[in-house]
Amino acid sequence: MGHHHHHHGELKGRMAFSIVLNLVITIAEVIGGILSGSLALLSDSLHNFSDSMSLLASYFAIKIGERKANEKYTFGYKRAEILVAFINSAVLVGVSLFLLVEAYRRFKNPEPIDGPLMLGVALIGLAANLLSVLLLHSHAHESINVRSAYLHLMSDTLSSVAVVIGGILIIKWNITWVDPLVTVLISLYILREGYEILKESAEVLMEASPELDLEAIKAEIESIPGVKNAHHFHAWRIGEKEIHFECHVEVDDMPISEAQWIIDEVEKRLKRYGVTHVTVQLEADRCASKNVICEYFQVL
């Protein structure tokens, strides 16, 4: 437990530093974009600002997620991270679409740009973004929340690379169209990655069943001595790595002391499937439907 808190403390420290770093880059790129006339720098500043907000939200989500369960939130606050991942990825998709529109406008109406100033500011932005990416790289796969924030930083690093390339080409050959072209490619990449996180976080929030082979689980439970049938399965995720499972198990007539062994055995076997919390309702020929998924009927 101590190692876990130390690990989280290190992550929060790195995130706090990255937040400050990205806010500084945002201010620098806004000023640089206005002075140089570079839409790419202004777009990159918007991206950096979204990075800062993403990191800030992720930081607070981790803080909230550490709070203990109480009578109001009996499952605790772990879904705060999922909620933030959903918002972050939705913003990421929105920013990508905005950049695609801006790139289209730039294709149609290219504008003169101060190449040297654009390149200088872009190089500073790139260096700062690379530093932020390196700081969070080792934590990127810890949770969907941190992964969404890391993706923000990764995409902005790629965006900064595009701005640097654009600045070099503008200085050397005055090729202004390469900037919107690279922006389109990067935006499509961000759109795809952002959509994946958006989809996964939405599934958790909608309590979609995690990837479990319910028929295999049914066979596993029914192989336990004394179990006649297993049905009415419900599986959902509280957080990214916490899977809850409940079911009805029909058993032979037996005392509670013997039935408890069946409950313990079900819990033990379901751990192999990654299930972290199991609720078993024992019954003796009670449910009319013996299906894996419970069928609810509304009486009008």
Side-chain angles (χ1 to χ4, degrees):
M1 184 64 77
H3 174 73
H4 176 74
H5 284 298
H6 170 74
H7 204 55
H8 259 194
E10 179 188 311
L11 172 59
K12 286 186 289 185
R14 292 185 176 196
M15 288 179 85
F17 182 77
S18 293
I19 290 165
V20 174
L21 197 60
N22 274 275
L23 284 172
V24 171
I25 303 167
T26 299
I27 295 167
E29 288 191 329
V30 167
I31 295 169
I34 293 169
L35 293 177
S36 68
S38 170
L39 179 64
L41 272 180
L42 288 172
S43 297
D44 205 37
S45 72
L46 173 67
H47 215 158
N48 266 304
F49 183 70
S50 76
D51 283 348
S52 303
M53 295 302 100
S54 166
L55 286 164
L56 192 62
S58 296
Y59 178 86
F60 281 115
I62 290 170
K63 291 282 287 182
I64 293 168
E66 289 173 348
R67 294 171 67 181
K68 293 180 180 178
N70 53 48
E71 289 184 5
K72 185 173 178 63
Y73 296 99
T74 56
F75 284 115
Y77 295 81
K78 290 170 187 164
R79 279 222 174 146
E81 288 198 54
I82 303 296
L83 186 60
V84 167
F86 178 82
I87 295 168
N88 278 347
S89 52
V91 169
L92 200 62
V93 168
V95 169
S96 301
L97 293 172
F98 171 78
L99 289 174
L100 285 171
V101 172
E102 290 304 308
Y104 172 72
R105 289 178 182 170
R106 178 58 71 89
F107 272 124
K108 288 189 73 177
N109 302 300
E111 296 174 10
I113 297 169
D114 183 339
L117 178 58
M118 172 187 172
L119 180 61
V121 175
L123 284 170
I124 294 169
L126 175 60
N129 277 314
L130 277 172
L131 179 58
S132 294
V133 165
L134 289 172
L135 283 171
L136 289 186
H137 178 72
S138 60
H139 300 275
H141 297 287
E142 285 180 16
S143 75
I144 191 173
N145 170 44
V146 178
R147 195 160 76 247
S148 68
Y150 178 77
L151 180 58
H152 267 270
L153 291 168
M154 195 71 181
S155 65
D156 205 48
T157 302
L158 292 171
S159 183
S160 294
V161 170
V163 179
V164 167
I165 292 170
I168 293 169
L169 293 175
I170 286 165
I171 293 169
K172 284 200 170 282
W173 299 286
N174 198 31
I175 304 174
T176 54
W177 55 262
V178 75
D179 181 40
L181 174 64
V182 179
T183 301
V184 166
L185 296 174
I186 290 170
S187 297
L188 291 174
Y189 165 76
I190 299 166
L191 203 58
R192 183 176 68 87
E193 295 296 315
Y195 171 75
E196 288 300 318
I197 291 178
L198 188 65
K199 179 172 171 285
E200 186 180 350
S201 54
E203 284 178 354
V204 175
L205 293 172
M206 289 295 292
E207 296 193 341
S209 179
E211 292 184 4
L212 295 173
D213 188 338
L214 297 183
E215 290 297 336
I217 289 175
K218 178 178 171 68
E220 182 83 50
I221 295 172
E222 290 177 352
S223 70
I224 298 171
V227 173
K228 294 166 72 175
N229 186 274
H231 51 278
H232 289 192
F233 290 2
H234 293 281
W236 69 99
R237 286 187 288 177
I238 297 301
E240 187 182 7
K241 297 172 183 174
E242 190 171 332
I243 298 175
H244 285 228
F245 184 92
E246 64 177 35
C247 67
H248 293 194
V249 175
E250 185 180 353
V251 296
D252 297 322
D253 289 334
M254 61 179 71
I256 292 174
S257 57
E258 288 182 30
Q260 183 60 50
W261 174 84
I262 291 175
I263 294 171
D264 294 341
E265 186 66 18
V266 169
E267 287 183 357
K268 187 173 81 174
R269 295 193 183 196
L270 284 178
K271 280 183 181 177
R272 301 173 197 160
Y273 293 86
V275 176
T276 53
H277 181 85
V278 180
T279 302
V280 178
Q281 179 176 313
L282 295 179
E283 58 188 37
D285 198 26
R286 178 173 174 268
C287 291
S289 168
K290 307 293 185 185
N291 297 327
V292 170
I293 305 300
C294 181
E295 295 176 359
Y296 293 99
F297 295 96
Q298 184 176 7
V299 180
L300 298 176

